[in-house]
Amino acid sequence: RQFATHHGSDVEKARRLVGTGETEGARQLVHDLRGVANILQATDVGRLAAATEDALRAGNSEAAPFSELQGAMRILAASIDQFDAMVG
């Protein structure tokens, strides 16, 4: 639950940062998201965050898979909600 609370809006924040020319801030935000996702073994989020970070590092924000990463984050959040409902 804390992951969704603390990182649920990271992709949108990163997009906004890119839009204002703050690519390095966006890259750092996605890097942090990648680290947490990898700790939690959220492999799709980690993989897509890595691809996004690589694109931003290369200065190619158009190639950053923000939409796919946001989709993976939604799936992860839904899974966390289902788990929370099961364990009560």
Side-chain angles (χ1 to χ4, degrees):
R1 168 109 7 237
Q2 286 184 1
F3 176 81
T5 300
H6 295 296
H7 299 283
S9 62
D10 283 0
V11 177
E12 193 53 44
K13 287 178 187 175
R15 280 184 173 171
R16 282 196 305 271
L17 287 168
V18 167
T20 61
E22 297 179 59
T23 305
E24 179 56 25
R27 189 202 61 76
Q28 184 61 50
L29 185 62
V30 172
H31 173 82
D32 293 346
L33 174 62
R34 172 187 177 186
V36 174
N38 287 338
I39 289 168
L40 296 174
Q41 297 185 9
T43 55
D44 286 342
V45 172
R47 177 181 53 80
L48 289 163
T52 302
E53 182 182 3
D54 290 346
L56 294 175
R57 183 181 294 112
N60 190 6
S61 60
E62 295 82 25
F66 284 115
S67 295
E68 293 89 345
L69 178 55
Q70 186 64 52
M73 290 287 288
R74 284 190 196 107
I75 291 168
L76 179 57
S79 295
I80 291 169
D81 287 344
Q82 286 177 344
F83 179 78
D84 283 349
M86 287 176 16
V87 297

